[in-house]
Amino acid sequence: MKADVLLGLQWGDEGKGKVVDVLTPRYDVIARFQGGPNAGHTLEFEGIKHVLHTIPSGIFHPGKINVIGNGVVIDPVVFKKEIDALIQRGVDVKKNLCISRKAHLILPTHRLLDAASEAAKGSAKIGSTLKGIGPAYMDKTGRNGLRVGDIENAGFRDLYNALVAKHRDLLSHYEYKYDLSEFEPAFFEGIELIKSLPLIDSEFELNRFLQDGKSILAEGAQGSLLDIDFGSYPFVTSSHTITAGTCIGLGMAPSRIGEVYGIFKAYCTRVGSGPFPTELHDATGEELRKKGHEFGATTGRPRRCGWLDLPALKYAIMLNGVTQLIMMKSDVLSGFETLKVCTHYKYRGKIIDYVPYDVVNEPVEPVYEELEGWSEDLTAVSDVAQLPSALQRYIDYIEQATGLPITIVSVGPDRRQTLMRNVTVG
Ligand code: GDP
Ligand code: IMO
Ligand code: MG
């Protein structure tokens, strides 16, 4: 068996959580491979709305195994809140969830360092979610980090104190006031909870699952345009959000990757700072935000909104080796007389169709093609055949431009508002 991957092709919040939940019945195992509680993955069904940050979006399906992979960074405080909320909803978390020993821990001081670093950057701030992601991954690559497996070590407190001493030293270089004693009790409560869950050597388990004929869906967080290498650096997150990140973040060889579902909104959004070529600063942008309820699932911040950006989408498709596309939030585009799609950029006096090196200091200008809109409400549509012809043409247009099939069209936040068009499972 091969592992299929589902990941975002834009700047995050494409609707990954919703679709992973919808596809989970087709898989045995769901595994998160990177990111941490900067993610907010929303699931809606049976009148319930639930946001997950660290836990894979397959958790609501009894009998499915959910794995938090080695590439993830876990904040025990956020994690405990997530678990408590799930238990309250009656989810048997302890039975269905396991954690890689090699996943790294986010300490309270990582969060403080994130806040201090952002505050020091002033107007150049990244717009981080302030969840301690950057500092935790810095400690990982700097070879100072604490891992979930360290919790099983009797000397864990000493390891913790040694890393905190390093962090205090770093924090002393910022004018940043803090009281660590406020945060430590919740941190150690979270550590105790993690200890009570199955801690596994996930690279062995996941490869064994495949060998035994079990199917795996790997769930990405953030989006391809926030990738540490290929996003609009430095306005990115600190992990590899692309397909290659699945191999690293789960210990899975590239030859083990099957289908790659690339998920995108029918338009674009971004939270935080950084380039956004098709961003709309006008009433249309406001309308997209209002209709799409574009406010961050993790921070509540208003999301910046704009038209679909094809050069960026094609870039993400190339980086990920996408085999099928999933288009989200089509319902939000209902009611616009015309829709714009960015097909090219103007850059240094030329028309180009790729993402150049420095879009931070030398912004690109979008070149648009205008397409006909549709007015029909899509939220009750239950079959692709019932979609308005202008939307069918929008779909055809994107399929032609990308050379890939759009196999799922989403028309609302609920599980049921998902239209299938010949989805292939690897
Ligand atoms: P994720 O981070 O990629 O999982 O996405 P988020 O959960 O952060 O953001 C997606 C938002 O759009 C959530 O509020 C979803 O409930 C909602 N959503 C998902 N699909 C659709 C859709 O097709 N239409 C509408 N209107 N909302 C959707
Ligand atoms: P999901 O998984 C949207 C953005 C932040 C900021 C930048 C760096 O829900 O799609 P970080 O906290 O990683 O240091 O922030 O990345 N960002 C996200 N934007 N969705 C996310 O996750 C995000 N996770 C981080 O807003 O611009
Ligand atoms: Mg999100």
Side-chain angles (χ1 to χ4, degrees):
M1 290 292 281
K2 297 203 173 195
D4 294 346
V5 184
L6 185 144
L7 41 71
L9 298 179
Q10 295 162 325
W11 287 281
D13 302 331
E14 295 89 350
K16 299 175 288 293
K18 170 185 163 164
V19 179
V20 169
D21 172 60
V22 167
L23 292 178
T24 294
R26 302 172 183 222
Y27 291 89
D28 300 307
V29 182
I30 311 299
R32 260 284 295 271
F33 61 89
Q34 47 69 233
N38 47 350
H41 295 183
T42 315
L43 284 68
E44 281 193 42
F45 53 92
E46 293 158 18
I48 294 174
K49 180 173 169 171
H50 199 94
V51 181
L52 295 164
H53 300 287
T54 325
I55 295 169
S57 302
I59 198 71
F60 283 97
H61 295 262
K64 304 293 175 176
I65 303 166
N66 288 266
V67 177
I68 299 177
N70 57 280
V72 176
V73 287
I74 303 174
D75 181 337
V77 181
V78 180
F79 184 68
K80 182 167 185 308
K81 283 188 193 148
E82 272 189 85
I83 297 275
D84 289 347
L86 286 169
I87 291 173
Q88 249 185 1
R89 290 245 148 105
V91 180
D92 196 353
V93 190
K94 297 205 175 185
K95 222 167 138 193
N96 296 336
L97 182 65
C98 38
I99 309 173
S100 168
R101 288 196 174 87
K102 292 192 173 76
H104 276 244
L105 293 169
I106 301 176
L107 273 52
T109 38
H110 283 133
R111 264 187 287 133
L112 294 170
L113 282 164
D114 210 359
S117 158
E118 280 283 84
K121 282 194 160 111
S123 63
K125 72 174 183 189
I126 289 161
S128 161
T129 59
L130 303 179
K131 301 292 178 192
I133 305 297
Y137 278 115
M138 278 164 73
D139 270 340
K140 174 178 178 172
T141 51
R143 295 159 296 178
N144 293 313
L146 289 185
R147 299 187 290 177
V148 165
D150 292 328
I151 299 174
E152 296 173 312
N153 178 339
F156 177 70
R157 269 279 177 166
D158 296 334
L159 294 172
Y160 169 84
N161 288 334
L163 187 52
V164 168
K166 269 196 190 119
H167 290 165
R168 280 190 185 279
D169 188 31
L170 285 171
L171 282 162
S172 71
H173 297 278
Y174 294 101
E175 276 178 33
Y176 193 80
K177 298 221 174 338
Y178 62 93
D179 176 8
L180 194 52
S181 64
E182 253 180 66
F183 308 114
E184 282 187 326
F187 175 79
F188 283 104
E189 268 179 45
I191 291 289
E192 283 310 309
L193 172 75
I194 292 176
K195 227 182 196 173
S196 73
L197 291 169
L199 308 184
I200 60 167
D201 297 321
S202 54
E203 63 277 32
F204 285 110
E205 296 267 345
L206 290 166
N207 281 290
R208 205 173 299 132
F209 284 146
L210 290 180
Q211 250 161 25
D212 293 348
K214 286 201 164 67
S215 54
I216 299 178
L217 178 63
E219 174 179 1
Q222 289 75 59
S224 304
L225 305 176
L226 288 171
D227 180 86
I228 181 71
D229 270 74
F230 299 105
S232 44
Y233 194 87
F235 301 102
V236 293
T237 190
S238 297
S239 63
H240 292 290
T241 58
I242 59 174
T243 304
T246 310
C247 300
I248 302 291
L250 295 178
M252 204 113 71
S255 56
R256 288 294 196 180
I257 303 296
E259 290 295 315
V260 179
Y261 303 105
I263 179 164
F264 69 102
K265 277 179 189 163
Y267 50 97
C268 281
T269 64
R270 176 169 200 166
V271 258
S273 326
F276 182 176
T278 62
E279 182 171 13
L280 293 164
H281 299 280
D282 57 8
T284 307
E286 195 52 49
E287 198 176 341
L288 283 171
R289 183 160 36 250
K290 225 169 117 193
K291 281 179 153 173
H293 303 290
E294 295 295 356
F295 296 89
T298 296
T299 58
R301 291 178 292 177
R303 295 177 183 144
R304 301 155 64 192
C305 298
W307 296 120
L308 187 66
D309 182 337
L310 281 178
L313 188 67
K314 287 196 259 186
Y315 180 56
I317 287 170
M318 174 189 82
L319 294 170
N320 288 301
V322 172
T323 58
Q324 40 189 319
L325 290 168
I326 298 176
M327 187 166 89
M328 307 301 288
K329 303 193 93 156
S330 317
D331 54 302
V332 175
L333 291 187
S334 290
F336 290 94
E337 208 167 301
T338 54
L339 305 170
K340 284 186 182 171
V341 174
C342 167
T343 57
H344 295 80
Y345 300 136
K346 263 190 214 157
Y347 181 69
R348 293 183 177 170
K350 285 199 179 114
I351 302 289
I352 60 168
D353 64 355
Y354 62 92
V355 179
Y357 169 68
D358 189 1
V359 286
V360 173
N361 295 302
E362 281 189 83
V364 293
E365 197 188 315
V367 177
Y368 289 112
E369 191 162 325
E370 218 162 83
L371 303 180
E372 184 195 348
W374 58 90
S375 55
E376 293 88 336
D377 176 17
L378 308 179
T379 52
V381 171
S382 56
D383 191 298
V384 273
Q386 299 163 0
L387 291 176
S389 53
L391 171 53
Q392 297 277 10
R393 284 195 289 279
Y394 194 70
I395 292 171
D396 290 347
Y397 181 87
I398 297 167
E399 288 190 328
Q400 210 152 45
T402 57
L404 285 171
I406 297 180
T407 54
I408 298 178
V409 176
S410 177
V411 292
D414 193 89
R415 247 183 210 171
R416 288 168 308 170
Q417 293 169 308
T418 315
L419 312 180
M420 300 292 180
R421 300 173 86 224
N422 299 323
V423 186
T424 314
V425 173

